């Protein structure tokens, strides 16, 4: 009888702890956070520029709190917006995204797509994210309206960086960009953007959805000053202190979010990986990794980060 009581109490405690953790994880997934990061890539003497990095919004039209928070970002008045994909999670998400972005679409911007812009999300075992990548991708599901999303963005003046290079002048600073389609689906065409980054540009930025090493290696070797990516959700379910358990790509967990460096071919580039704003609509949980957007303040080279 005593043993049965001990077992019962242990099970009860475990169930209570599990319920408490789930409740917390559901709550944290809605605690939208703005990060502030300094990025020293401007020419000497240049005035600071503010870049809003958005990623992994995974929008469902009924997610009013998320959409309202995204809409509030327009008050930051950034000089440039970089969207690194996975905006969609629903067939009717495009109007909701466009409405939430609002006047941010009037700001100079660039974008690429991620796998979840292309295909409908499906329920899957979240434990699978912690296992080694088996290379299988869920593409036998209906497509999402990514073409409508692209059209809305480009109509507003944002540059589509899908497997292409482009340039943009922002407040007198010449930006050279290279972007690739989603590396997670192996849609990245690195040969299309290969070659030295424009040496005449003031700032050279590489843009990708998923920070796979092959992409980071090429952008770094080609002389890009910084690379912006998303996809990892910062690990989404992390150990205390934010240590990621998995990245859903081949980047190391220590660089699953935030500002780091990447070295290849004798060169070094800054790497900013956004933990993103969303989750799968079927597993809206986060632990020790709040959903985020980042305001990157570009400063002259040699300036300290903050």
């Amino acid at each position: 009888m005593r043993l049965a009581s001990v077992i019962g109490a242990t099970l009860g405690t475990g169930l209570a702890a599990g319920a408490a953790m789930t409740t917390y994880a559901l709550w944290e997934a809605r605690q939208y956070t703005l990060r502030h990061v300094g990025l020293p890539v401007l020419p000497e003497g240049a005035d600071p520029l503010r870049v809003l990095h958005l990623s992994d919004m995974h929008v469902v039209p009924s997610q009013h709190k998320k959409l309202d928070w995204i809409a509030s970002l327009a008050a930051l008045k950034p000089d440039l917006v970089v969207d690194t994909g996975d905006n969609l999670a629903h067939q009717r998400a495009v109007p909701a995204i466009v409405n939430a972005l609002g006047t941010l679409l009037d700001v100079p911007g660039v974008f690429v797509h991620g796998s979840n812009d292309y295909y409908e999300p499906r329920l899957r075992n979240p434990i699978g994210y912690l296992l080694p990548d088996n290379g299988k991708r869920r593409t036998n599901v209906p497509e999402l309206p990514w073409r409508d999303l692209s059209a809305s963005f480009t109509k507003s003046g944002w540059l589509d960086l899908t497997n292409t290079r482009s340039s943009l002048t922002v407040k007198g600073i010449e930006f050279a960009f290279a972007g690739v389609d989603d590396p997670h689906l192996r849609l990245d065409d690195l040969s299309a953007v290969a070659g030295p980054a424009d040496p005449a540009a003031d700032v050279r930025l590489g843009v990708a959805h998923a920070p796979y090493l092959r992409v980071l290696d090429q952008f770094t070797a080609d002389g890009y000053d910084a690379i912006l990516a998303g996809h990892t959700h910062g690990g989404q379910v992390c150990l205390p202190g934010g240590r990621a358990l998995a990245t859903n790509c081949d980047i190391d967990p220590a660089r699953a979010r935030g500002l780091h460096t990447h070295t290849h071919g004798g060169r070094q580039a800054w790497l900013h990986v956004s933990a993103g704003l969303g989750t799968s609509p079927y597993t809206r949980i986060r632990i020790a990794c709040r959903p985020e957007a980042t305001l990157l303040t570009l400063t002259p080279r040699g300036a300290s980060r903050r």
Side-chain angles (χ1 to χ4, degrees), residues 37 234 254-260 271-275 292 294 305:
V37 175
R255 295 188 293 167
R257 62 173 166 171
L259 186 65
H260 302 276
L271 169 65
H272 184 261
V273 180
S274 172
E292 68 180 36
T294 306
R305 292 186 282 158

Side-chain angles (χ1 to χ4, degrees), residues 113-151:
H113 290 311
S115 59
N116 286 283
D117 290 317
Y118 293 126
Y119 298 105
E120 279 190 357
R122 282 291 184 264
L123 180 64
R124 59 178 295 187
N125 185 350
I127 299 300
Y129 289 105
L130 303 179
L131 301 176
D133 187 359
N134 60 13
K136 294 182 180 179
R137 302 291 181 259
R138 292 172 176 254
T139 59
N140 58 338
V141 295
E143 282 194 1
L144 287 171
W146 63 271
R147 295 176 183 85
D148 294 340
L149 183 67
S150 292

Side-chain angles (χ1 to χ4, degrees), residues 190-269:
L190 289 170
S191 64
V193 295
D198 184 359
D202 297 308
V203 182
R204 294 156 287 272
L205 296 181
V207 181
H209 173 63
Y212 278 82
L213 295 178
R214 64 181 182 272
V215 178
L216 305 185
D217 286 350
Q218 178 167 306
F219 282 160
T220 301
D222 282 348
Y224 287 89
D225 300 304
I227 306 161
L228 274 59
H231 177 71
T232 65
H233 293 193
Q236 189 165 326
V237 176
C238 298
L239 297 174
R243 171 70 178 180
L245 298 172
T247 65
N248 203 25
C249 62
D250 61 359
I251 195 173
D252 49 295
R255 295 188 293 167
R257 62 173 166 171
L259 186 65
H260 302 276
T261 57
H262 187 77
T263 302
H264 186 76
R267 295 180 180 236
Q268 186 176 81

Side-chain angles (χ1 to χ4, degrees), residues 11 34-35 48 56 64 68 72 98 102 106 112 116 167 186 197 204 215 239 250 254 256 262 292 301 305:
L11 289 173
L34 179 67
R35 308 289 184 194
D56 298 85
H64 301 298
D68 288 346
S72 75
V98 171
D106 298 328
V112 293
N116 286 283
S167 62
R186 301 198 70 86
R204 294 156 287 272
V215 178
L239 297 174
D250 61 359
H262 187 77
E292 68 180 36
R301 297 177 182 91
R305 292 186 282 158

